[in-house]
Every structure is written in C-alpha cells, then in structure tokens.
Amino acid sequence: MSVSENQGFNTRAVHAGQAFEPRTGAVVPPVHFSSTYAQDGIGGLRDGYEYGRGTNPTRDALQEQLAALEGGSHAYSFSSGLAAEDSLIRALTRPGDHIVLGNDAYGGTYRLIDGVLGDWGIGNTPVDMADLDAVRKAVAANKTRFVWVETPSNPLMKITDIEALAAIAHDAGALLVVDNTFASPYLQTPLALGADVVVHSTTKYIGGHSDVVGGAIVVNDAELAEKIGFVQFAVGAVSGPMDAFLTTRGLKTLGVRMDRHSDNGQAVAEWLLERPEVEAVLYPGLPSHPGHELAKKQMKKFGGMVSVQFKGGEAAARTVAENTSVFTLAESLGGIESLMNYPSEMTHASVKGTELAVPVNLIRLSCGIEDVEDLIADLERAFTFLK
C-alpha cells in the first residue's frame, strides 16, 4: 500500500515503510539480520545495500515510518536517544558554537552537551524557555547554532511556544531542535510549527513496551539530512535490526496507546489535585497549568506524564515512590505499564547542584494503559503511608 501524507495518523503508522514481502506475500516485512550484502560485480549494489552499518532494510522501514509520522522528509534511527543527540550535534556544530537550551532539560541531554561536548568546544546557556526575551538575549550573546527545547519538559512539564522559538532561532541564523519524546508525533508535530530538527528517545512512547532502547532524528531539509546521514554512517551508532523491528511494531499502535495514556494522565492529575498532601500537580491538561492554553494550541491531547510535588517535602516524595505496586519504581517512561520515578536521585541525578536540579519533593508518574481506577487506588494506598 502506498502511503500519502494526506492519510490519517494511524493509517500512516500501520502502513508507512511496511509493504508486504513480495516473494511470499508476508504481511509483516521480514527482519533482516545480515551484516553484509552480495554484490553483482564490484560496486554492483542491489538497491544500494552494501554493509549493515550503512543500510539495513528493517532500519530503513522504521526510518520511513518515523518520517511519515513527524511530517519530515528524512529520519534516522540510532541505538539510543543520546546517540541520536550526539550525532546531531557533531553533524551540525563545530567547536566555538553554542547551544541555548531549556533550564529544565533532561539530565542526560545536559550531561552530554555540558560534560562531554563542552570539552570539544561546544558552549551552552540554560534559560527559561517561557521567557522569550531571555531566550533572545542568550541567543544573541553567543555564536548560537541550536536553540534546544523539550515541550512538555522533563520532569517539570513546562510548555514552550514552538512557533515563537523558531522565529527567534531563525532570526539569529540558528536552528530550532525540539525533543518530542514526551508528546510523541501523535500529539505534536514540531516540524509543522517551524522547528528544524526533531529528536526522540524512541525507547519511550514510540517503542512503547519497555523492551527496546533507541533514538531518532527527523528533519525536512535535504542539506541537514545529508550531514546527519553521513555521521550516522561514519560513527555507526545505528539501531540493530531487532531493535528497529521492535520499534516499528510499537510505533504502529502509538495513536491508540497515546489516547489511553492521555486519558489516564488526565484522570490521575485531577485526582492528585484534590489531595491535601499535594503541593502542586504539574500536568498541562489542567486549566491551572500556566501552559494549558498553549498546550491546547500545539498538542492534540496532553499525554500520560504527570509530575507531583508534596507538602511533606523529600520524605513524602520518597515514601510514595517506594510504596506503590501497580506503578513500578523504575527509570524511563512511555511504556504500556505505569512507572514511578524520583528524578532527583534517578533520571536527573547528574544535574544535582546545577540550575537544572529537580525539586526534591517531586515524583514523576508515567501513566500506562492499565485501568485508571487501579492506578488511582494504587496511589491512594501509597498515600496512606504519609499519615
């Protein structure tokens, strides 16, 4: 089946890059494990396939699927989200360039940019992305190559105006990079809002089953794509065939999963909002969230990620995090099962003591696709330990 950009999201998710196998008619394309490909004479490549680091039919199918869902012309699949980000930065920046990023960025991203690539000569300035004047000032103060934003952000759930940031970046000759991991392409398509590059940890909602690690870059510019593709091939942090297959399988059901994640996230957030033990609920689907109206404008729904802060401080947050049974205490997010995370000591431990440090009274919930009544009952039981 040929896939058109005019077709619906779920149709594209199921069919993009997924033509049936022509010899047998197998509806699910085979997984290609070969590391190398026979040539018809020296340089006589079959459909361009030469060596597995450069090309693989299973990875190519995933990349076509990702591009179709993000509205991009090119997509690249990597062994992890950070491998994708590292390849992007090395492909499009040089020593002396600068990255302006959100002051609540994912800890691993900041560690990569500051702790690894900082030694290579890439500077960075963390800034509140909601303060557009502060963003303009930071961009103008340096040789800025990237404005880098997560929206919703991890784990403070801040919402950033993608169109406004794109204008600021482009006025300065910079590129806007959007980490779309929390929203997924089902809820938000940053390229359509003016972004130049979209990055993902496909480990999360795209894979969706907590059984595969991966990352992706999607662009809509042939020149950028050529540079990224060169680094993907030259450095080689590509997704393996089975990882690509598992990610493709997960991506086919992204739409129906995100509907359920979003419904559960909304219900959990509304329940938390009424609890006397809670200091703040960070969820863009709540009218009280400062980014609610903007999220309504640039997102289809509000997602399954909910962060909550407790009046009882660090002790209360730790108590709840360690006393659930349906919510599993673990890193990562976006799987069909609900996960509980204490960012200050887990996903964001690397930014403790910096401007990006996460409040110690905060836990992050990744609401899965279980029955929402069971999620709320699990939290209610955990809350009894606070008394």
Side-chain angles (χ1 to χ4, degrees), residues 29-71:
V31 183
H32 293 265
F33 288 107
S34 185
S35 62
T36 191
Y37 305 87
Q39 299 187 16
D40 297 322
I42 297 172
L45 308 182
R46 300 188 181 193
D47 289 332
Y49 289 101
E50 179 179 19
Y51 183 63
R53 171 168 41 80
T55 49
N56 173 276
T58 309
R59 188 168 72 246
D60 287 350
L62 170 60
Q63 292 176 161
E64 182 177 340
Q65 193 182 20
L66 287 164
L69 296 184
E70 278 288 4

Side-chain angles (χ1 to χ4, degrees), residues 9 12 20 39 62 75 77 87 120 130 190 209 218 291 333 371 385:
F9 182 92
R12 286 177 282 135
F20 65 81
Q39 299 187 16
L62 170 60
S77 177
S87 295
W120 190 52
H209 292 76
V218 186
L333 59 102
D371 293 307
F385 289 89

Side-chain angles (χ1 to χ4, degrees), residues 306-320:
V306 182
S307 290
V308 55
Q309 293 177 265
F310 292 91
K311 294 177 182 177
E314 178 178 356
R318 285 177 173 269
T319 295
V320 173

Side-chain angles (χ1 to χ4, degrees), residues 53 59-60 62-63 66 74-91 197-203 212-219 224-244 247:
R53 171 168 41 80
R59 188 168 72 246
D60 287 350
L62 170 60
Q63 292 176 161
L66 287 164
H74 298 78
Y76 299 92
S77 177
F78 293 84
S79 56
S80 71
L82 286 171
E85 293 182 354
D86 178 53
S87 295
L88 170 66
I89 294 169
R90 287 199 277 174
V197 184
V198 171
V199 295
H200 281 281
S201 170
T202 58
T203 310
V212 59
V213 174
I217 302 170
V218 186
V219 296
L224 297 181
E226 183 178 3
K227 293 176 179 178
I228 295 164
F230 172 77
V231 171
Q232 184 195 46
F233 170 73
V235 174
V238 295
S239 54
M242 181 55 77
D243 291 347
T247 305

Side-chain angles (χ1 to χ4, degrees), residues 144-162:
T144 299
R145 178 59 171 160
F146 289 153
V147 176
W148 191 296
V149 65
E150 302 168 13
T151 181
S153 68
N154 178 13
L156 298 183
M157 304 304 296
K158 292 182 180 179
I159 303 298
T160 300
D161 190 328
I162 295 173

